[in-house]
Amino acid sequence: MKNFLRTLVLPLFISTSIFAHGEDKYGPNKGFVRMPGAFHTEVVLTAKNTVKVYLLDINWKNPSVTKSSVSLTHKSKSEEPADCTVESNYFICEFPKTVNLYKKGELKLTAVREDQKGNQAIYKLPLKLEKSVPAPADVPEVEMDHSSHH
């Protein structure tokens, strides 16, 4: 019975690790990271209604705006789109003054990095790091190897 439960429970912890994929630590620009596809997005809050969006490669490096775009909306009671413009190596996205990114809601980010379209990345507000879930003491630790997809 114990082995049967271990067989059912262990994949849950492995899939949690895969899902997190860095969401439990800050990005290179001290922002919050998601992986919507073959690249990473990093959101850095700069004011109550403004964020910087970095489009990073698979290794969390080389931010790019070349052949890239972002679309960002804020959802709390209604959906508000941001006005996003290109800066040197990131996008600056500004919401109307009525939007407060310090309050509960979510950001929905759709990005294209160097012609690669990603899935929608969801950032829960207020922004915070996701917590890693430690495995129970009787579940053996599994070393995850991400080298094949980096």
Side-chain angles (χ1 to χ4, degrees):
M1 180 68 170
K2 198 174 197 178
N3 285 338
F4 176 72
L5 287 175
R6 198 174 275 161
T7 303
L8 288 177
V9 173
L10 186 57
L12 293 175
F13 289 105
I14 292 171
S15 64
T16 299
S17 298
I18 291 169
F19 174 75
H21 205 272
E23 295 175 14
D24 60 339
K25 58 186 172 185
Y26 291 107
N29 303 288
K30 308 294 183 239
F32 301 88
V33 177
R34 298 289 182 271
M35 185 178 177
F39 59 91
H40 290 90
T41 60
E42 181 181 10
V43 169
V44 179
L45 190 61
T46 59
K48 81 173 187 98
N49 67 325
T50 308
V51 296
K52 288 181 182 178
V53 178
Y54 293 88
L55 303 180
L56 307 170
D57 65 18
I58 198 77
N59 296 312
W60 293 35
K61 297 178 181 173
N62 304 313
S64 180
V65 294
T66 304
K67 296 182 183 177
S68 302
S69 64
V70 298
S71 170
L72 188 62
T73 59
H74 170 263
K75 182 167 173 40
S76 62
K77 293 177 184 158
S78 62
E79 281 203 23
E80 294 278 349
D83 181 25
C84 298
T85 57
V86 174
E87 294 293 325
S88 60
N89 66 347
Y90 60 89
F91 292 84
I92 191 84
C93 297
E94 188 172 355
F95 290 97
K97 299 280 185 215
T98 55
V99 171
N100 187 342
L101 301 175
Y102 296 119
K103 293 188 176 183
K104 191 173 183 176
E106 68 182 20
L107 293 175
K108 295 179 181 179
L109 174 64
T110 304
V112 175
R113 182 184 188 275
E114 297 182 356
D115 284 335
Q116 291 184 332
K117 184 171 175 23
N119 296 314
Q120 189 174 67
I122 305 291
Y123 290 83
K124 297 285 184 191
L125 295 173
L127 293 169
K128 63 183 178 182
L129 294 177
E130 298 295 323
K131 292 184 180 176
S132 295
V133 180
D138 65 335
V139 176
E141 207 168 302
V142 177
E143 182 70 28
M144 297 298 294
D145 178 14
H146 295 288
S147 63
S148 64
H149 68 273
H150 279 236

